[in-house]
């Protein structure tokens, strides 16, 4: 199979990242993957793209395997017969600079995409979102390197055998267009949505009352006592009607949360907004990284109070036990596709400061086995263990029994699959879906044997606070939110 030439070129332009995002955010087809905060080893690049050349939708498990269908779509793009497409996009050998992301698919896999494949097949999946996966293929991207405070342009030079070779501008023209646009944005645009700007007041409606949540916690603890599971991640969905556009909401959200693995995906009838702090999978070459989060405490801005919260999280036996369970689960998942002996827990329980919270995070490295690629890695690990529980399959079954609505994008994964076989996906927490004037916001947390329902509920509200504030719902007490189901499917 012929190589596909990719380029990663430094641009001589200065443009504030917020201005660039504000300019592209209103456009249908825009995909933004933002790394605004956190350790630059894991969250260095922000990607802005808005001119997709293809679209992939996976609507039902009955349609077959999403990953195989994605291979077929890539095959059509590059003009190869489907039987020539191997198990991995990595069979396309790009020659991008080693220090920059390559173009490819950007989008999401919904949580429910993991309910009907492989050893997850016994899961009930009585709920299903409108789309189990939705990705678009981009052959040109603007890339902001926050470590260097510099812009780059990435692009693909289409082979002559591809249908795109005669339909797309030349690679050099596309790269120059990225620079020209950024220069024009820098001259005229003002970033939107700072937290100080006003937002219309909004009401919160929940798919689960406080009383129902407490009952579900009791049922989960019953399952734990019976030996069915060790931990279950219980979540709820909030609906907030708002006059804000998805652009205004995202600009406010990013200024509040400064996401390490944020995202904005704009489609003609809905938008996905994420301020996720959590890295699900990063694959560069054969090196795999995952960074599960378990344990949250609020940041108040008061140094003395924040020191207490940080120390409490660091010494909490319960929170540490939750993380240890998920680390073991992720090591087991990675063990299916990584070289034996290569999986290492680099950090067992680091405390990370985020703009609104403290998190307890583990870092796990592995080395992908020969003959394995991103598709094998995703099959072995999806959905992320930090949002299911342990053991994973039984926890997913209990989740499906208790949660009244599909999780959709939330607890799935948003990110990029590069044409060079690289992979970068977040865990889609702190994530909202905007459709027809309604923002669906989600939050949840792990329930273990000694969990206290009231404390767990408080943690959910801490996690959701940034989204509530972004939508003008912050002053309300979500504990008294109306228990109303809003259908916007």
């Amino acid at each position: 199979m012929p190589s596909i030439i990719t380029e990663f070129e430094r641009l001589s332009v200065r443009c504030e990242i917020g201005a660039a995002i504000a300019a592209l955010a209103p456009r249908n087809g825009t995909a933004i993957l933002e790394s605004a905060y956190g350790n630059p080893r894991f969250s260095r690049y922000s990607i802005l793209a808005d001119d997709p050349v293809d679209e992939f939708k996976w609507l039902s498990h009955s349609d077959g395997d999403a990953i195989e269908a994605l291979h077929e779509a890539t095959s059509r793009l590059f003009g190869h017969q489907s039987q020539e497409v191997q198990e991995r996009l990595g069979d396309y050998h790009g020659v991008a600079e080693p220090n920059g992301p390559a173009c490819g698919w950007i989008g999401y896999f919904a949580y429910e995409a993991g309910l009907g494949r492989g050893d997850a097949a016994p899961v009930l999946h009585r709920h299903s979102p409108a789309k189990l996966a939705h990705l678009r293929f981009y052959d040109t991207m603007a890339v902001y390197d926050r470590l260097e405070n510099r812009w780059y342009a990435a692009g693909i030079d289409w082979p002559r055998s591809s249908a795109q070779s005669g339909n797309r501008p030349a690679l050099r023209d596309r790269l120059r267009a990225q620079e020209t646009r950024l220069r024009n944005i820098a001259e005229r645009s003002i970033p939107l949505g700072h937290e100080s700007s006003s937002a219309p007041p909004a009401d919160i409606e929940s798919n689960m009352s406080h009383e129902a949540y407490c009952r579900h916690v009791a049922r989960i603890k019953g399952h734990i006592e019976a030996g069915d599971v060790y931990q279950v991640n219980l979540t709820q969905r909030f609906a907030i009607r708002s006059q804000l556009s998805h652009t205004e909401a995202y600009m406010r959200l990013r200024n509040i949360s400064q996401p390490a693995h944020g995202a904005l995906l704009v489609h003609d009838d809905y938008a996905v907004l994420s301020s996720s702090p959590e890295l699900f999978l990063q694959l560069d070459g054969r090196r795999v990284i995952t960074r599960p989060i378990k344990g949250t405490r609020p940041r108040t801005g008061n140094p003395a109070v924040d020191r207490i919260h940080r120390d409490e999280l660091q010494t909490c036996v319960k929170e540490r036990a939750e993380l240890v369970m998920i680390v073991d689960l992720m090591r087991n998942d990675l063990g299916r596709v990584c070289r034996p002996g290569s999986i290492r827990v680099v950090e067992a329980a680091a405390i990370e400061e985020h703009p609104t919270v403290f998190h307890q995070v583990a870092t796990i490295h592995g080395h992908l086995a020969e003959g394995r690629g991103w598709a094998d890695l995703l099959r072995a690990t999806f959905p992320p263990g930090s949002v299911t529980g342990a053991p994973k399959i039984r926890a997913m079954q209990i989740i499906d029994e208790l949660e009244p609505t599909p999780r959709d994008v939330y607890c799935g994964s948003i990110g990029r699959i590069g044409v060079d076989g690289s992979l970068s996906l977040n865990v889609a927490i702190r994530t909202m879906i905007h459709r027809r004037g309604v923002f669906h916001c989600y939050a949840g947390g792990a329930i273990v044997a000694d969990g206290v329902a009231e404390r767990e509920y408080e943690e959910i509200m801490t996690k959701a606070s940034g989204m509530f504030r972004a939508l003008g719902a912050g002053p309300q007490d979500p504990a008294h939110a109306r228990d109303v189901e809003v259908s916007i499917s």
Side-chain angles (χ1 to χ4, degrees):
M1 186 174 293
S3 294
I4 294 166
I5 306 302
T6 66
E7 290 200 17
F8 190 72
E9 180 177 294
R10 190 162 78 174
L11 304 180
S12 58
V13 62
R14 295 290 179 182
C15 181
E16 203 272 325
I17 179 68
I21 290 173
L24 265 66
R27 296 169 59 97
N28 179 28
T30 288
I32 294 169
L33 303 177
E34 186 173 13
S35 297
Y37 194 83
N39 191 322
R41 288 184 298 159
F42 313 114
S43 56
R44 175 175 175 177
Y45 296 104
S46 292
I47 293 171
L48 285 70
D50 70 331
D51 185 19
V53 299
D54 199 13
E55 187 172 37
F56 173 80
K57 300 178 185 178
W58 190 49
L59 306 180
S60 169
H61 291 291
S62 63
D63 294 336
D65 183 271
I67 291 173
E68 291 304 321
L70 200 57
H71 289 315
E72 295 288 339
T74 310
S75 174
R76 290 193 301 273
L77 271 173
F78 288 96
H80 302 298
Q81 297 299 314
S82 59
Q83 60 264 28
E84 293 180 278
V85 180
Q86 305 299 313
E87 280 295 305
R88 293 159 298 282
L89 274 181
D91 292 322
Y92 297 103
H93 301 291
V95 292
E97 293 289 335
N99 61 338
C103 295
W105 296 100
I106 299 176
Y108 70 82
F109 293 90
Y111 168 82
E112 286 79 13
L115 300 187
R117 294 184 292 106
D119 57 4
V123 175
L124 302 176
H125 56 88
R126 61 192 175 95
H127 308 298
S128 183
K131 298 178 184 69
L132 292 171
H134 197 175
L135 301 98
R136 286 168 164 163
F137 193 97
Y138 297 86
D139 66 354
T140 319
M141 311 183 305
V143 181
Y144 177 70
D145 183 343
R146 71 179 178 93
L147 189 62
E148 297 182 357
N149 189 26
R150 189 180 296 277
W151 285 95
Y152 292 82
I156 294 172
D157 192 6
W158 291 96
R160 291 185 179 181
S161 61
S162 70
Q164 302 297 330
S165 61
N167 298 328
R168 297 289 291 162
L171 173 60
R172 187 56 43 193
D173 293 338
R174 284 184 275 122
L175 296 180
R176 293 280 72 78
Q178 295 293 317
E179 184 168 35
T180 299
R181 179 164 64 180
L182 288 171
R183 185 169 286 112
N184 291 338
I185 291 171
E187 291 173 356
R188 71 175 189 272
S189 294
I190 299 174
L192 303 175
H194 288 288
E195 189 184 354
S196 59
S197 64
S198 61
D203 292 332
I204 304 172
E205 299 176 345
S206 177
N207 71 343
M208 189 185 302
S209 67
H210 181 265
E211 293 76 14
Y213 177 84
C214 293
R215 289 197 304 270
H216 293 337
V217 170
R219 287 186 61 182
I220 290 170
K221 293 178 72 172
H223 281 291
I224 294 171
E225 185 177 347
D228 292 344
V229 284
Y230 306 109
Q231 176 184 154
V232 174
N233 195 77
L234 180 63
T235 73
Q236 60 180 296
R237 186 180 79 176
F238 304 96
I240 302 176
R241 294 193 178 275
S242 173
Q243 300 174 30
L244 294 174
S245 68
H246 69 259
T247 300
E248 293 168 322
Y250 183 75
M251 297 306 294
R252 289 174 57 83
L253 183 65
R254 69 181 295 273
N255 281 300
I256 292 169
S257 301
Q258 300 177 38
H261 304 284
L264 174 65
L265 307 175
V266 183
H267 300 280
D268 55 1
D269 59 342
Y270 74 103
V272 176
L273 303 77
S274 180
S275 58
S276 173
E278 185 170 355
L279 174 66
F280 174 34
L281 292 171
Q282 187 178 92
L283 174 63
D284 289 308
R286 311 211 68 75
R287 188 188 186 195
V288 180
I289 300 173
T290 184
R291 305 191 75 229
I293 290 175
K294 278 296 166 198
T296 304
R297 292 293 186 277
R299 289 188 69 186
T300 66
N302 182 316
V305 175
D306 285 350
R307 193 176 307 112
I308 293 171
H309 288 175
R310 182 190 180 104
D311 291 346
E312 181 184 275
L313 179 58
Q314 194 158 30
T315 58
C316 181
V317 175
K318 170 186 171 292
E319 304 281 16
R320 182 64 179 269
E322 289 179 11
L323 185 59
V324 167
M325 292 179 201
I326 300 306
V327 167
D328 286 346
L329 187 156
M330 293 303 298
R331 290 174 64 191
N332 181 68
D333 284 353
L334 291 177
R336 302 176 186 180
V337 291
C338 285
R339 191 177 66 200
S342 70
I343 300 170
R344 296 184 300 117
V345 179
V346 178
E347 289 179 309
I351 304 299
E352 285 191 347
E353 295 182 0
H354 294 261
T356 60
V357 296
F358 295 102
H359 278 313
Q360 184 179 231
V361 188
T363 302
I364 307 166
H365 288 184
H367 191 89
L368 210 58
E370 291 299 322
R372 300 286 194 170
W374 73 265
D376 306 288
L377 177 61
L378 190 57
R379 282 195 188 98
T381 57
F382 190 86
S386 62
V387 293
T388 58
K392 180 185 279 190
I393 301 305
R394 185 65 183 116
M396 291 165 69
Q397 292 172 334
I398 295 170
I399 288 167
D400 193 67
E401 293 168 3
L402 298 181
E403 295 184 9
T405 49
R407 290 182 171 185
D408 206 325
V409 184
Y410 174 68
C411 289
S413 194
I414 306 168
R416 176 186 62 87
I417 303 169
V419 74
D420 60 346
S422 61
L423 179 74
S424 182
L425 296 172
N426 75 3
V427 179
I429 55 176
R430 316 291 195 277
T431 295
M432 304 189 288
I433 303 171
H434 179 234
R435 187 182 283 117
R436 296 201 291 273
V438 177
F439 289 88
H440 274 173
C441 313
Y442 304 73
I447 310 301
V448 293
D450 57 351
V452 178
E454 291 296 336
R455 288 288 302 273
E456 302 297 340
Y457 198 83
E458 289 173 8
E459 181 173 320
I460 284 178
M461 297 311 159
T462 296
K463 293 173 178 177
S465 63
M467 294 182 290
F468 292 155
R469 284 165 54 194
L471 298 176
Q476 259 187 299
D477 177 6
H480 301 292
R482 288 177 290 163
D483 182 23
V484 177
E485 170 58 24
V486 177
S487 175
I488 61 170
S489 56

